Each structure stands twice: as C-alpha cells, then as structure tokens.
Amino acid sequence: MTTFPKIFMVQPSWPRQEVADLGSTVKTQLDRLQLADRVKPGQTVAVTAGSRGIVRIGEILREVASCIRGLGAVPFIVTAMGSHAGATASGQRQMLSNLGITESACGCEIRAGMETIVAGQTAAGFPLHTDRIASEADHILICGRVKPHTGFTGSYQSGLCKMMMIGLGNELGATTYHRAVRDLGFQNVVETCVPILLEKLPVLGGLAIIESAHKQVAQLASIPADRLLLDEPALLKSATSLMARLPFDVCDVLIVDEIGKDISGTGMDTNVVGRKHHDHEAESDEVPRVKRILVRGLTEKTHGNALGIGMAEFCRTQLVERMDREATVVNAMASGHVTGAMIPVHFPTDREMLAAAISTLGLTPSDQCRLLWIRNTLALSTIATSQAYWEEVASRSDLTAASSPGPLPLDGSGNLIAPW
C-alpha cells in the first residue's frame, strides 16, 4: 500500500489593496469618461457582463447602472461571454444569475441573445461578429476584469479588448476570433480588430476591474474608447503583480478540489498551475513546474462545463459522471482548446487516484513527494502542503505554517476530508 506524505497548512502573505468606497469610485471613474457630453436622456446604454466570477461584480454593475440612469439614460446589461453556458441565451442568462448578476440586484434589465451582426472585416479576410442586441444600443460600455489570460501572452490578455471582441462575439464570433488567433497570434488580432470595432460600434469606453490576491477589488479604472489599446497594457501589468500564485516553483503532485468556468476560463488558471502553453508540462522558463495534476470535482456554478479537465493527468470518476459533455465540447471547440475537454485517467476514490499518481513519479519515495492541495486556483489563502516543504516554509518570511505535519485526512471510503 502506498504511504502518503504528511501534510501541514501554509498561509502565503500577499500585499493588500482594496477600493475603499466602491460606489463613489465607480462614479468618479465614469465621470472621467465625460458621459454627460455624449449620453442623452432616453438613450440606451448596453453594459457588458461576462461569465467570470469577479468579486463584487453585482455591486459594480449596480453602481454603473445607477450612474447611467442619473444621466436620464436607460442602462441594460448584455451578456458578453462568447460560447460559454452552452452557447444559448437562456444558459448565459442563468450563468449571470449564478454570479449574482440579476435584474433586481443590478437595478436594470438583462438582455441575452446569441444572434450577431458583422461589424466589419479585417484585411486578413475574416468577419468581425458582434452581439446584435449590443450593436443596436445607442451606446456600449465595456465592463470587465483585466488579468493574465490562461492561454494568451503579450500586452493584451484577459480584459476589455478581449471582451469587446470575443465576449460580445457570442459563439460565432468567439469561434472566428479564436481561429484567427491560431494563425495570427492574439496580440496581432487585438491590434487589428479593436480599431475597426471602435469605428463601427458606439463604444463609450471601458471600466476595468483589477483584483488582489485576497479577492478584493484592488482598482477600478475607466478608459476612453480611443485609449483602450494604449492604456490596457499598464493595467495588465498591475493585475499580474497582484495575482495569487502557488508559493513553490516545483511540485510533484497538485490536488485540486474543483475546477469550473466560474473559477477560470480553463477551469483552473494556467497562470497558477504553470501550464499556460502546454496542457501537461511547463515551459522551461515557466513556474510552477507541476508533474501531476489531480482534480476531484466540478463547481456547482459551472453547470457541468468541465473545460480544463484535459490538463489533469488524473481525476475522480464522479467528475466525469457530472460532466456536461455537450457544454464542454462546445466551449472547447469555440476556444480552440480541444485538448482541454479530454478525459484523464480516473478513479472512484481519492486514495486510488493519489496512489496511481504517486506511482508515476519515478524514484521519489511516496512519503517524500512534494504535494500541494488547494480548493481551486482562486482560493489560495491556505494551501495544504506536504512535509517535503517544511524547511523551506520555515526559512521564508512570506509563508506561515498554520499547523504541524500530520497524516493526510482520508475518510473510511478512501476520500479526502477537505480542511478548508
């Protein structure tokens, strides 16, 4: 029988940064866009909302809607999540509800649809699809989080430009943009498409949200439409510096309790697990370098979309059984990350899954493997850590051991008892 390593709890220390007064900050930032000079009473303003679990997003959208109503205009929220939620209007509306984005919470109507119009065409010959409902509004305000993307590199990653293209592109647009990215690269596609979209669509600008490692709203920043390409790269640098990460460069086994679209576009954030470029290994200059990823389950809010399961080498059988194959495949095909939908080797219990993973590590004794255990890639304030890291933790001022090493907690059925 495999002897598992002892574990102890570790708490990383990250800088704290939080917007003190959310309401007044939203108003201040929107005032910078000089909306009163452009938005007239009675006009409609489409405000984007995506499929990510952004902290306090319902409050932010409520304040945005309030500011727009204060101008005498009519705000409404438009779904902007590409092919997510099964690429259906009802699915996307439900996704927003799961994230706390409802008409009652935000104080305005939510409009969802998958129909697109072609706003223009690039020199490379591909059409620029955008949501029909948003295109018919008098104005569009792009609202979303800026952060490192799970697959794209460069000056533009997850952010306002991506939301304007892929988010508002619905399934057809998301598929087209991702195909173009595979040939031309994401940065080139952004720099080519965004100017055309800004020329053809009534975009007022954007409100960027940056989060801290402690899941706080660290910064809100408005950007006029004509400065989106100029200003977003600096916000990306700020977001990257505040991001939570695994505290060790090398890991033999990483256990992840749950993956889901509400956690990351790839189910688990590749910037955290170190697999931004390849599903099963890190690049030579990429950290952390994780040999084996084990996934135990799906979040409730992902509604069976298991995109990202293919990055794991092992998983629980219960995850496979809960997987909505259609939703996962649709998302995988639209994003071009088809391997992210592939099913790993799976076992009915955690004990069997972990024993199988450790057996593939080579000469490392099973009780000495470098094991990390997290709830998900957003919840990194406390990490279960194997005894192999004990001396390193003791030597680092940015890490605190919150317990002494003890046996891996398994119940009578051979499944882990979560310590969170």
Side-chain angles (χ1 to χ4, degrees), residues 85-109:
T88 66
S90 60
Q92 295 198 347
R93 186 181 287 272
Q94 183 62 50
M95 174 69 79
L96 293 189
S97 179
N98 294 340
L99 298 173
I101 303 172
T102 63
E103 293 184 349
S104 59
C106 299
C108 67
E109 184 183 357

Side-chain angles (χ1 to χ4, degrees), residues 82-84 87 170-180 182 261 265 305 307-308 325-342:
S83 64
H84 296 177
N170 297 337
E171 181 183 15
L172 188 54
T175 301
T176 303
Y177 286 118
H178 279 107
R179 286 175 177 170
R182 286 194 287 277
K261 296 297 293 186
N305 188 333
L307 186 67
R325 181 183 179 279
E326 182 178 357
T328 304
V329 170
V330 165
N331 195 185
M333 296 294 289
S335 67
H337 188 196
V338 293
T339 57
M342 293 182 176

Side-chain angles (χ1 to χ4, degrees), residues 48 142-146 152 155-169 177 186-187 189-195 197-198 203 205-208 223-225 227-233 235:
T48 63
I142 310 297
C143 182
R145 181 174 55 194
V146 174
F152 302 149
S155 302
Y156 309 98
Q157 296 184 34
S158 286
L160 304 182
C161 292
K162 176 177 177 285
M163 175 164 274
M164 185 164 53
M165 294 164 41
I166 297 173
L168 280 177
Y177 286 118
F186 186 63
Q187 177 132 345
V189 169
V190 169
E191 293 173 341
T192 298
C193 297
V194 167
L197 291 171
L198 291 175
V203 178
L207 181 66
I223 308 177
R227 291 199 60 85
L228 279 172
L229 286 173
L230 297 172
D231 293 355
E232 189 169 305
L235 294 176

